[in-house]
Amino acid sequence: MSLSQAFREKSFDDLPGWDEDDHLAAFAAFRRSAFHVLTKPYRSGGLGVDFNAFTDAYAAARTVLPTDRREARAFFERQFIPAQIRADSGGAGLVTGFYEPVVDASPVRTERFTVPLLSRPADLVDIDDANRPPGMDPYLAFGRATPNGPVEYFDRGEIERGALIGKTVDSKGLEIAWLADKVDAFFIHVQGAARLTMTDGRFCRVTYAAKSGQRFTGPGKILSELGEIPLQAVTMQSIRAWFKAHPDRIDEILWRNRSYIFFREISLGEPGFDDPELGPIAAAKVPLTPGRSLAVDRLLHTFGTPFYIDGPSLTAFDRKPFRRLMIAQDTGSAITGPARGDLFAGTGDAAGEIAGVVRNSADFYALIPRPLVPGAGR
């Protein structure tokens, strides 16, 4: 696999604010991936950043423990060469934000708690080129098992109208927990994880397990196209405000996003979930680090790749222009393209206030392992 010509080699001096960043925080996130890959390697992305080229960097990260920002910066400069990558249009990239909500929930349905979070149904099967029926949308990575072979799975509207009522897994209902608000549940679907404060006194987490498979269509885009919210004013907060003002139209809008997410419950004692400062374990199978983990297009990029993000118009995180080294450790249905990223803001309402307003142009610099860059040396 050769490195894509989409990358344009740069020097660290070309990265605005590089010397001022906290590279030690980024190193901690990178090191978590370095230990995970001992059990399962990451898949190489389509742009040619070969996972095997990270061998030396991961080995060094497992044995070296920088004590300050300067040493951490030196680690990344020894192991990598920065390369700018542009959007398909040739311009700057785009960053948005995501977070882990904290929501009240009930273990049983009650008069107040009526909206379920569902676990993966037994008839939901993975789809790939080996078992994809002729004529099935090549986008679909999941389907429904039937006696005549897999078919497209029920979509959001069908599921919320009752298509899975009575379905069980291991003789248990699919319902992990019940929420009081359909919009809260939808945004948990969007974020892919949540912490639940249960009415029985328990405190648990849910994280992504699978999805129905259809394409994601964001409510912000729908409301903008309908002329309800100007595109430049679309944020999580403005979408929530619109739903609150139009409760009779919630289903109309949400069902136009056919994709539906299934979850699995995680106890706080499960490995990787014992640090309350870290986020959920996401697609790269390591806990997300607030302000340092990045969701990318997993078809193009390789998990574990460090990305330096230069977003001078983004000040939501700390009231300063966003210039940070991030580690690719998650993905998402709406995250598509070479210079497209979703920044993990953390857990709870304060993180949600940050994540909900992030939609900014930014320059993306991938840190490429030196073995992939001819003449880079050590």
Side-chain angles (χ1 to χ4, degrees):
M1 179 182 292
S2 60
L3 195 62
S4 170
Q5 294 184 353
F7 294 106
R8 294 291 181 267
E9 185 178 338
K10 299 289 183 177
S11 73
F12 285 101
D13 291 338
D14 294 326
L15 276 53
W18 171 256
D19 292 349
E20 301 167 16
D21 190 25
D22 182 3
H23 302 83
L24 194 60
F27 178 86
F30 182 78
R31 195 167 192 257
R32 293 185 187 97
S33 283
F35 278 99
H36 167 74
V37 298
L38 291 174
T39 58
K40 187 173 182 180
Y42 292 138
R43 182 178 64 191
S44 298
L47 293 180
V49 180
D50 189 349
F51 166 78
N52 293 312
F54 287 86
T55 299
D56 290 346
Y58 280 146
R62 291 191 293 266
T63 57
V64 173
L65 273 176
T67 58
D68 57 29
R69 298 181 181 188
R70 179 185 57 81
E71 291 182 3
R73 187 184 78 194
F75 167 84
F76 287 109
E77 291 178 352
R78 282 196 306 271
Q79 299 293 337
F80 299 97
I81 294 291
Q84 188 170 16
I85 186 165
R86 309 292 283 180
D88 287 332
S89 64
L94 174 69
V95 290
T96 49
F98 71 113
Y99 77 113
E100 183 184 31
V102 178
V103 180
D104 290 339
S106 170
V108 296
R109 182 177 179 132
T110 69
E111 184 176 347
R112 176 189 173 197
F113 294 97
T114 61
V115 184
L117 297 178
L118 301 181
S119 58
R120 177 173 179 157
D123 62 352
L124 182 72
V125 295
D126 293 352
I127 298 292
D128 57 28
D129 291 342
N131 66 343
R132 187 183 309 279
M136 177 178 276
D137 185 346
Y139 176 87
L140 296 176
F142 295 92
R144 179 164 59 93
T146 75
N148 297 319
V151 298
E152 181 178 336
Y153 207 76
F154 302 117
D155 68 8
R156 174 175 295 277
E158 292 170 316
I159 292 170
E160 294 191 351
R161 289 190 294 270
L164 299 183
I165 289 177
K167 297 280 188 179
T168 62
V169 177
D170 297 330
S171 300
K172 296 180 180 179
L174 299 179
E175 298 85 1
I176 296 174
W178 298 83
L179 307 185
D181 186 85
K182 179 172 287 190
V183 175
D184 281 346
F186 176 79
F187 277 104
I188 290 175
H189 282 225
V190 173
Q191 306 304 324
R195 298 191 195 195
L196 304 179
T197 304
M198 305 296 284
T199 56
D200 61 6
R202 289 185 298 122
F203 187 73
C204 69
R205 272 173 149 167
V206 292
T207 192
Y208 171 91
K211 59 184 178 180
S212 58
Q214 296 87 359
R215 289 169 176 80
F216 175 84
T217 305
K221 178 182 178 183
I222 295 168
L223 291 170
S224 173
E225 291 174 346
L226 292 174
E228 299 289 342
I229 303 177
L231 182 60
Q232 65 272 20
V234 169
T235 64
M236 182 178 70
Q237 290 85 341
S238 67
I239 294 169
R240 280 185 174 275
W242 190 92
F243 282 138
K244 186 174 181 178
H246 302 85
D248 57 321
R249 297 185 65 187
I250 292 175
D251 287 342
E252 171 200 338
I253 302 302
L254 294 188
W255 289 352
R256 290 179 64 170
N257 170 45
R258 300 184 65 217
S259 176
Y260 189 93
I261 304 299
F262 301 102
F263 297 90
R264 66 184 183 95
E265 182 178 355
I266 297 168
S267 68
L268 291 182
E270 187 171 323
F273 285 87
D274 50 1
D275 186 343
E277 298 301 316
L278 296 177
I281 291 179
K285 306 305 180 186
V286 295
L288 299 178
T289 304
R292 294 293 167 176
S293 290
L294 176 72
V296 296
D297 187 334
R298 127 180 247 182
L299 296 180
L300 299 179
H301 296 299
T302 304
F303 284 154
T305 300
F307 281 86
Y308 190 71
I309 307 296
D310 175 26
S313 68
L314 171 55
T315 59
F317 276 78
D318 55 9
R319 299 182 182 177
K320 300 177 183 178
F322 191 93
R323 291 182 168 121
R324 292 192 189 184
L325 184 60
M326 310 286 289
I327 310 300
Q329 294 177 321
D330 200 5
T331 191
S333 300
I335 311 304
T336 58
R340 177 72 174 90
D342 214 12
L343 311 172
F344 179 62
T347 297
D349 292 343
E353 288 300 310
I354 295 171
V357 299
V358 177
R359 187 176 182 84
N360 298 77
S361 62
D363 288 329
F364 282 62
Y365 300 88
L367 269 57
I368 306 297
R370 285 182 176 268
L372 291 178
V373 182
R378 296 291 300 178

